Amino acid sequence: MALLDILCFPDERLRTRAKRIEQITPAHLQLIDNMLETMYAAPGIGLAATQINVHEQIIVIDISEDKNEPYCLINPQVISHSGKEKMEEGCLSVPETYAEVERADSVVVSYLDRKGNEVKLEADGLLAVCLQHEIDHLQGKLFVDYLSRLKRDRIRKKLVKQQRM
Ligand code: NI
């Protein structure tokens, strides 16, 4: 396994829309293992392939306390959502930055698991937020896009400055 480099906002590559995966190959499974290892090492609770500059629709999530309940989702799609909830979010691509974002508080997501089985997952609370956040990454969208332009510009300046150091 290997740790992968994570792109940081405002890197334009984070704006790429990921392609659907037509056939799951051993290379995808290897990538999923490396993404999990990278997410756990960061440490984080979710990672999208976009963040490691691979533009295919894969996300990994683990919100469990003991870091032993990984979700690996291929071609994930929100097929229904309800309610609204505000939660503080962060992102491995926007280091040391947290802000409240309003999202649906429950979602149903369809995806393929690593064996290619179609799965439907109903989630609420933190898992629902996490799924929406990671699926956004695959569309080139970041949580800072939900903030005001003023706040986003302030975050961009701060991170550009840090990345120069
Ligand atoms: Ni993120």
Side-chain angles (χ1 to χ4, degrees), residues 51 91 133-134 137:
Q51 294 176 273
C91 179
H133 176 120
E134 300 309 329
H137 274 302

Side-chain angles (χ1 to χ4, degrees), residues 46-48 51 89-94 133-134 137 141-143:
L47 187 69
Q51 294 176 273
E89 296 187 22
C91 179
L92 294 175
S93 293
V94 192
H133 176 120
E134 300 309 329
H137 274 302
K141 195 164 182 183
L142 297 166
F143 84 96

